[in-house]
């Protein structure tokens, strides 16, 4: 039977994985263990895992250096229940236990994710995360960075696309010598909250070198988050008197919709428990109250009796759990018909006595200190959100006769009256800005307490970039890109809104405020030879100075021109009269079988292309008519006049007939091994 998997992380970097197919698995330095970790700091028999169909346990075998789970040392020989994803430290080795439910939930034991990408001077490989993860549990990915350049460089690592607090990198930056490889472990732990929705979360691990900060390697991956069940149920009153309404409070504490069947039962089938809803569907985090009645099936004579009952909830989701809450019902016996007449004088006397007692109590109450309500806890799910997102306010209050939520911001105040039997409320704020959310608990007219929290709502922004007439930008070529944006919540400004765009390649702003909330605009771009991507950042400022931004990028490729004649001559300048600097280049001169160049400029006439002819960056000129340019318009290539001018010939005093000079006579002698430089990355 399969009980899960153990991942072992060695300090030097390697990671080992072990399938767990036995009900007991021992780990230690001795060869008698199921998993042998032969290293100092680990005892001969250090820990033991035990499994049954429902639970996994970890036990420290009285080891010398101890066993730590999420930083807490375990007492020897006291089994610790594992939920999955805990970090287990023994000596200098870290272990992660993955239960079979996490491995099998996506239909396969493992999810294979491996991405390898490279830039000119470094290579990046991302492995994992290799399984789906339940909120509150851990899963890891391994990032390897290799310096393939010739100089020492520093590399910076960041994660983009996942909610804040879900991910941690053990090495956010690393310095690597030429040829050295470094490794970082990326740990993922989605928060165990109802707001953590199940599904796939695409993200990017971005690596940037200090030497070329404009270039990045973005390794894409997906974090698969599993659903989890969490359910709470309570009765409004655990003791019901005859005729009193039954209240059942339900709370879906999980992150997926939860369908529930409700019913009532008692021993002996002497009671009738009726609920206003037998089937309830709770959304993630939702609370509902179901009412009902409890009564006896027949009238009983004699004294009152107390009967026990229970409200039972059965889930119809894959977890299939059953939960119940107990209560008692006080059933009063029927009285004989003559008894009320006999007891009437006593009833009158009792009523008078009750009136006197009530007057006395009221008189005493006037002298007593009024009841003071208490707010023992008050939190908001996020202090900073984007317009369109919801924020949940939760609290714990006692002795309150009324609750009021005051939301102040955007030049107005919203007042929301709340029932005293709820402890959470979800706010949808309709404008950007800074808000103060205050809970007031009141008992009577004078006893009021309050608690407050601040929430910033940033504008929502979206930006798309499209290269006009192509899929990517091309180095040294003038092109146009179309920017399309959508913004919600920006502050009005001079007939438009405070929206603008910037680019590292443009002095000042690329788009200048004011701009409309939704729009398109074309921008001219001419990438230089050092860029791998063209970046644009869209900014929007909302009310109260709250701002947000989003950055998009477009890849930049090399211009490609392929030889279409039998041979071409590379010259020192743009013209047939310039000397050749390479032997005639044949059609098959490139290792790929077709000679191609990556132009960097053209001459003012547009008839000649300037190209790099060797790895040292030496420049030469080739005629445009000899080549077919495949991914750009040659007339949009940047123009240069940076080439030597031919001297003006001095006429001879005696005119003589011109004679033809063979071309080979004016070519300099060059090594026959010189070849054209292929397109970088080709």
């Amino acid at each position: 039977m399969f009980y899960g998997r153990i991942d072992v992380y060695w300090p030097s970097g390697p990671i080992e994985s072990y399938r767990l197919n036995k009900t007991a698995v021992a780990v230690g330095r001795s060869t008698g263990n199921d998993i042998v970790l032969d290293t100092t700091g680990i005892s001969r028999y250090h820990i033991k895992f035990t499994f049954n169909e429902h639970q996994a346990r970890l036990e420290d075998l009285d080891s010398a250096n101890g066993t730590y789970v999420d930083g807490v040392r375990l007492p020897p020989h006291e089994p610790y229940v594992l939920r999955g994803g805990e970090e287990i430290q023994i000596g200098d080795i870290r272990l992660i236990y993955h239960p079979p439910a996490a491995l099998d939930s996506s239909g396969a034991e493992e999810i294979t994710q491996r991405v390898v990408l490279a830039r000119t001077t470094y290579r990046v490989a991302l492995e994992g995360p290799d399984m789906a993860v339940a909120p509150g549990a851990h899963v890891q990915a391994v990032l390897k960075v290799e310096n393939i350049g010739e100089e020492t460089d520093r590399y910076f690592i960041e994660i983009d696309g996942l909610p804040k607090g879900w991910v941690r990198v053990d090495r956010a930056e690393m310095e690597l010598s030429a040829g050295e490889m470094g490794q970082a472990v990326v740990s993922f732990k989605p928060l165990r909250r109802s707001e953590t929705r199940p599904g796939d979360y695409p993200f990017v691990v971005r690596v940037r070198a200090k030497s070329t900060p404009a270039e990045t390697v973005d390794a894409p991956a997906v974090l698969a988050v599993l659903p989890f069940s969490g359910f709470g149920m309570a009765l409004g009153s655990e003791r019901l008197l005859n005729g009193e309404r039954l209240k059942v409070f339900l709370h879906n504490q999980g992150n997926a919709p939860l369908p529930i069947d409700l019913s009532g039962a008692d021993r002996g089938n002497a009671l009738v428990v009726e609920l206003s809803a037998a089937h309830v569907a709770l959304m993630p985090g939702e609370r509902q109250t179901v009412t009902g009645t409890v009564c006896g099936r027949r009238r009983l004579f004699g004294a009152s009796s107390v009967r026990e009952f229970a409200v039972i909830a059965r889930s119809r989701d894959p977890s299939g759990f059953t939960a119940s809450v107990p209560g008692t019902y006080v059933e009063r016996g029927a009285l004989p018909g003559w008894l009320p007449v006999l007891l009437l004088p006593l009833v009158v006397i009792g009523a008078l006595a009750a009136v006197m007692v009530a007057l006395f109590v009221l008189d005493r109450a006037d002298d007593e200190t009024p009841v003071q309500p208490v707010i023992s806890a008050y939190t908001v799910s996020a202090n900073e959100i984007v317009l369109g997102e919801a924020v949940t306010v939760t609290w714990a209050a006692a002795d309150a006769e009324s609750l009021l939520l005051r939301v102040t911001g955007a030049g107005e105040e919203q007042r929301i009256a709340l029932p005293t039997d709820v402890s959470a409320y979800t706010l949808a704020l309709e404008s950007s800005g800074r808000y103060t959310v205050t809970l007031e608990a009141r008992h009577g007219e004078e006893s009021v307490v309050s608690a407050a929290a601040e929430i910033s709502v940033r504008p929502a922004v979206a930006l798309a970039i499209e290269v006009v007439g192509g899929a990517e930008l091309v180095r040294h070529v003038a092109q146009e890109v179309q920017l399309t944006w959508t913004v919600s919540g920006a502050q009005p400004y001079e007939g438009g809104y405070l929206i603008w765009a910037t680019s590292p390649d443009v002095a000042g702003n690329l788009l200048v405020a004011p701009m409309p909330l939704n729009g398109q605009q074309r921008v001219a771009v001419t990438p230089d030879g050092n860029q791998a991507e063209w970046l644009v950042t869209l900014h929007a400022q909302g009310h109260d100075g709250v701002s947000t931004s989003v950055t998009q990028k477009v890849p930049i490729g090399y211009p490609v021109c392929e030889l279409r004649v039998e041979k071409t001559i590379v010259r020192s300048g743009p013209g047939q009269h310039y000397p050749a600097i390479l032997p005639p280049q044949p059609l098959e001169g490139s290792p790929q079988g077709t000679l191609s160049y990556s132009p960097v400029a053209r001459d003012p006439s547009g008839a000649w292309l300037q190209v790099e002819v060797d790895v040292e960056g030496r420049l030469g000129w080739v005629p445009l008519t000899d080549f077919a340019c495949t991914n750009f318009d040659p007339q949009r290539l940047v123009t240069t006049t940076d080439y030597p001018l031919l001297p003006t010939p001095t006429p001879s005093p005696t005119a003589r007939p011109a004679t033809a000079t063979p071309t080979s006579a004016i070519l300099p002698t060059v090594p026959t091994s010189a070849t054209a430089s292929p397109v970088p990355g080709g």
Side-chain angles (χ1 to χ4, degrees), residues 352-680:
L352 292 174
V355 171
M356 295 178 64
V357 170
L359 292 174
F360 176 77
V361 170
L362 291 174
D363 183 63
R364 289 290 303 274
D366 291 339
D367 299 330
E368 293 178 355
T369 303
V371 176
Q372 185 76 9
V374 176
I375 300 176
S376 57
Y378 182 69
T379 60
V380 293
S381 59
N383 295 106
E384 186 174 285
I385 61 173
V386 174
L387 186 64
E389 296 179 345
V391 61
T392 301
V393 186
T394 57
W395 62 85
D399 298 326
E401 292 182 339
S402 65
L403 295 174
L404 179 69
L405 200 64
R406 291 193 294 109
V407 184
T408 306
E412 58 183 24
E413 181 179 84
Q414 182 182 5
R415 292 173 170 262
I416 305 168
L418 302 168
T420 57
D421 57 0
V422 302
S423 58
Y425 186 82
T426 300
L427 279 173
L429 302 171
E430 298 180 353
S431 178
S432 63
R434 304 184 190 277
Y435 290 82
T436 301
V437 182
T438 305
L439 177 70
E440 291 184 355
R442 184 181 297 271
H443 190 103
E445 294 297 325
E446 298 180 357
S447 298
V448 181
V449 295
S450 63
E454 302 293 330
I455 299 174
S456 294
V457 182
R458 297 184 285 113
V461 297
L463 174 65
I465 307 177
E466 180 182 0
V467 179
V468 178
E472 65 177 9
L473 293 171
V474 181
R475 285 173 168 81
H476 313 297
V477 177
Q479 295 167 273
E480 285 188 329
V481 295
Q482 180 165 283
L483 308 181
T484 304
W485 66 89
T486 301
V487 178
S488 300
Q491 184 176 352
Y493 174 70
E494 294 184 359
Y497 296 88
L498 276 173
I499 301 170
W500 67 99
T502 60
S503 173
D505 309 314
V506 177
N509 292 338
L510 191 66
L511 302 178
V512 181
M515 301 292 292
L517 290 176
N518 304 291
Q520 291 182 338
Q521 187 159 325
R522 291 192 176 187
V523 179
V525 182
T526 306
D528 62 32
N530 297 321
Q531 296 174 266
E533 297 163 329
W534 186 68
L535 305 179
V536 176
T537 302
L538 180 70
H539 306 264
Q541 180 173 307
H543 296 274
D544 303 325
V546 177
S547 62
T548 190
S549 63
V550 62
T551 299
Q552 298 290 357
K553 60 183 67 176
V554 178
I556 300 175
Y558 287 89
V560 178
C561 293
E562 296 181 350
L563 184 63
R564 64 179 181 180
V565 296
E566 185 176 348
K567 292 182 179 180
T568 191
I569 301 290
V570 181
R571 301 183 180 277
S572 64
Q576 298 291 346
H577 299 294
Y578 283 87
I581 60 175
L582 290 178
Q585 300 294 293
L587 186 65
E588 65 276 7
S590 168
Q592 288 77 18
T594 300
L595 183 66
S596 63
Y597 283 110
S598 182
V600 298
R602 65 181 178 91
D603 75 323
S605 71
W608 290 79
L609 304 179
Q610 189 179 43
V611 298
E612 291 185 358
V613 298
D614 53 31
V615 295
E616 284 77 21
R618 192 161 53 119
L619 298 176
W621 291 84
V622 295
L624 173 61
T625 54
D626 288 359
F627 287 84
C629 298
T630 59
N631 64 341
F632 72 102
D633 180 359
Q635 299 307 313
R636 288 183 170 268
L637 200 63
V638 295
T639 303
T640 182
T641 57
D642 186 15
Y643 49 83
L645 297 177
L646 288 174
T648 303
T650 303
S652 174
T654 304
R656 301 178 62 182
T659 58
T661 301
T663 304
S664 59
I666 64 172
L667 297 181
T669 302
V670 296
T672 57
S673 60
T675 59
S677 176
V679 177

Side-chain angles (χ1 to χ4, degrees), residues 319-358:
S319 64
F321 67 81
T322 299
S324 65
V325 287
T328 57
Y329 173 71
V330 180
E331 187 176 22
R332 301 185 185 279
L335 297 175
W338 47 268
L339 192 57
V341 177
L342 185 63
L343 295 178
L344 183 60
L346 296 176
V347 172
V348 173
I349 294 173
L352 292 174
V355 171
M356 295 178 64
V357 170

Side-chain angles (χ1 to χ4, degrees), residues 47-63:
I47 56 174
K48 180 175 67 174
F49 294 91
T50 56
F51 309 96
N52 57 36
E53 294 182 357
H54 306 289
Q55 213 166 55
R57 291 183 174 90
L58 170 67
E59 180 182 349
D60 178 83
L61 303 178
D62 199 13
S63 61

